[in-house]
Structures are given as structure tokens and as C-alpha cells.
Amino acid sequence: MSDAKLQAVLSSLSQVAKQLDVLLSDKPASDPCCVKLNTNENPFPLPEPIMQSAMAALGQQYLYPEDDNASLRQAASEAYGVSKDQVIAGNGSSELLGLIYRAFLVPGDRMAMLSPGFSFNRKLARLQGAQFIEIGWGADHSLPVDDLLLGPAKDAKFILLANPNNPTGTFVPVADVERLVSQSDRLIVLDEAYVDFAPDNGLHLLNRYPNLLILRTFSKSYATAGIRVGFGLGHPEVIGRLRELQNVFNMNVIGQAVGISVLGHRGAYAENHKHIKHERQRVTVALSKLGFSVIPSHANFLLARVPAGQEGSWWQGALERQKILVAFFEDAGLENYIRVSIGTKAEMDEFLEVATEIAATAKETTPLCRPSAAAASALSR
Ligand SMILES: Cc1ncc(COP(=O)(O)O)c(C=O)c1O
């Protein structure tokens, strides 16, 4: 297509994302030869029986997947002890997050998220033309139940919190979540993406409170981020409204088969989860020795405050130059942090080796270490 024709076509189309200020970021694609610790994947192969289910599903490639994910939803209902009409299956839980915003918000509506939280939610709210209210976590990352019940979130269409939370990795007692759910007349969306690395979960609340909607994903704890399997669990009326909006054939045959197989073999991941919790502790201790301050994590990642006087973005850049990818967030309050996913032992060894070198260089050669804004202004006084 000629440039002129392309321009004519593009100018005839509405650019909703630009109007709503949610254009794609121009982050480079990840380099396959990097140690990838920036998106909280679980870098282990599938257990053998699950791999076999995936391979068998490949032989069904010419068929459309089963309508409405009926067998997968049935398997999830049995595994989670709920009825099938309390389950929706998604192409990852991010598909389900998208449905929640589309199903429950019209332009001008308000929703609230505990902040800092999973930033994709901000984009979804904007795309819906909704107001995104951020409610800060309480002291020591606690759930500010009274603020949520009485403050600006009280008339939001829904309140969203992740437990464990991303990016902090912190976990609030399920009793606090129950207090919120029981006393609020709003829909509470409880995103349990990382719950398999945590001491407890909110599943037992589901049949007691019709205003609770739980999200689960197999991306983090079941090593299937590239296959895309997620679930929403809630009251049949709430789940029904989401299913009404869902795309036909939203999942593919491999995702459906792997989802069913994972649900039948969850015990096969015990070693995987044990490994991640063990490495999480080992890396926490090692980073603390390097001068980082690490928030105790209940997820498969760590949020670490970089050594005093240094900036998170500087650390991210220094690690990336050594082919180690970690996450950095520009949000206010997170400028001095990096988020590090927990990978294999070999990956974490490599990360620690490079971090140790960078920390030593930063100490010795001050000009290499860009001081934080606060330190810079203190120096110039
Ligand atoms: C808190 C939280 N929720 C949901 C997701 C989406 O996961 P997926 O779409 O892979 O199921 C993520 C991914 O990072 C997450 O951190």
C-alpha cells in the first residue's frame, strides 16, 4: 500500500487509544539471550503428563476449540469446589480483567484499585473512559478496610485488589479481605494471580459472598504464561454477565487441554513451588547483604529498594547491559525500586553475581552511580 493511501486510510479511522492516552510503549522486545526476570514467569518445563496433553491437543489443530470452554470449566468447578456456572475460563486472566471493565463500567464510572498495583488495570479503566481511583495500601502494606468502606472507593463500581499484590509481593490476611467483602455492597475483585506462593487464599469465601469475584491464572505457578489459561470464579449472575461478552472460541485447543491437565496434576508442581519459595528467601538475604532493602514477598518475585543514594532505573539499565532483565516502575514512590522475578537457581546465581559486581562498581566509582533526585538535591545544597 502506498504511503499516501495508508495515510488516507489511517486518517479515516478513529484512534481510540490516542484519544484515551493509552498508546503502546516503545519498550524493545526482550532479547532471548537475556536472563529474563522482568515479567514473573515460571521458567520450568511442563510436568510430563501435562506436556503429553499439550502434544495430543496439537493433533486437534484442525478443529475449533470446544464452545464456551465447557470441559475446562467443568474441570475447574470440580477442582475449586464450585458449580460450573460459577466459572469463566479466559485466555489468561488478563482477558478476564478486560471483560470485567467492559462488562461493568460505562464512560464516567469509577472503579478503585489498591495502589501500587498491577498497572494494566489503569489502561483498562482508561480504555473504558472510566475514572481510575488509586487507594494506597495501609501501614505495613495492610488492607485499609475502613478507608475502602468510607472513602472515595465506597461508591466505585468495583474495588480491585491483588493478593499477593503485584508489584509489592505483599499478602494481606484473608480475614481482612473477608471484612471488606462482607461489609461492602460493591463488587470486590480479588486477583489471586500469585496465590500458590502464599500461605492462604480466598476461595472458601466464594459461596458466602455474592459480591466476590476471584481471578486465578496458570501463568505464574503452573508455568503456562505462553499457553494462556486463567479463570474467574464468582456468583453465577456475575460470571454470566462476563460470559455474555466473551469472544467466541476465546481459548485454543492447547490452552483448554493444558488447563484441564494442570487441574488434574496440581500436585506435580510441589517441587516447583518449593524451589521458588526457597530461592525467594535466598535472594532476599543475598540482596540485603548488598545494601538492598527487600520487601518480604509471598509471590514469585521480589520488590527491592536499591542501595541508598541510587535509583531503580539506573540499576535496571546497569543489569540490562549485562543481559539481566528486571522490572522498574515509574510510579511515584517506586523510583528507588526494582522488581526481580524468581527463576531457576542458575538464573538467580547469575543475577546475584552481576548485582554484586554492579554494587561494588557503584560503591567504588561514584560517577557511575547516578544519585537519586533527593540525594542530588541534598548534594547541591
Ligand atoms: C496481579 C496480576 N494479575 C493478572 C496478571 C495477568 O496474568 P495472565 O494474563 O498471564 O493470566 C498478572 C500478570 O503479570 C498479574 O501480575
Side-chain angles (χ1 to χ4, degrees), residues 39 92-95 97 118 162 166 191 193-194 217 219-220 228-229:
T39 45
S93 60
S94 37
E95 183 205 347
L97 278 168
F118 182 37
N166 177 13
D191 182 346
Y194 299 95
T217 176
S219 297
K220 314 297 179 181
R228 317 298 298 133
V229 184

Side-chain angles (χ1 to χ4, degrees), residues 143 145 148-149 161 163 172-186 188 190 192 200-212 214:
L143 187 64
V145 178
L148 291 167
L149 292 171
L161 67 131
N163 199 33
V172 296
V174 174
D176 292 352
V177 177
E178 179 167 13
R179 193 157 81 81
L180 173 66
V181 177
S182 66
Q183 292 184 27
S184 172
D185 59 0
R186 305 285 99 182
I188 309 297
L190 178 62
E192 294 194 328
D200 198 3
N201 68 75
L203 202 58
H204 63 281
L205 304 178
L206 208 59
N207 285 333
R208 303 227 294 272
Y209 302 104
N211 61 331
L212 177 62
I214 294 182

Side-chain angles (χ1 to χ4, degrees), residues 88-148:
I88 182 169
N91 196 25
S93 60
S94 37
E95 183 205 347
L96 302 174
L97 278 168
L99 279 181
I100 290 169
Y101 284 78
R102 287 193 353 247
F104 302 138
L105 299 174
V106 295
D109 279 349
R110 293 144 62 93
M111 60 73 59
M113 182 186 81
L114 273 292
S115 178
F118 182 37
S119 58
F120 181 51
N121 287 285
R122 185 179 292 126
K123 173 176 181 168
L124 291 173
R126 279 203 200 151
L127 278 175
Q128 208 53 28
Q131 221 181 310
F132 181 69
I133 305 170
E134 297 185 67
I135 308 287
W137 294 92
D140 294 328
H141 304 279
S142 58
L143 187 64
V145 178
D146 294 323
D147 286 0
L148 291 167

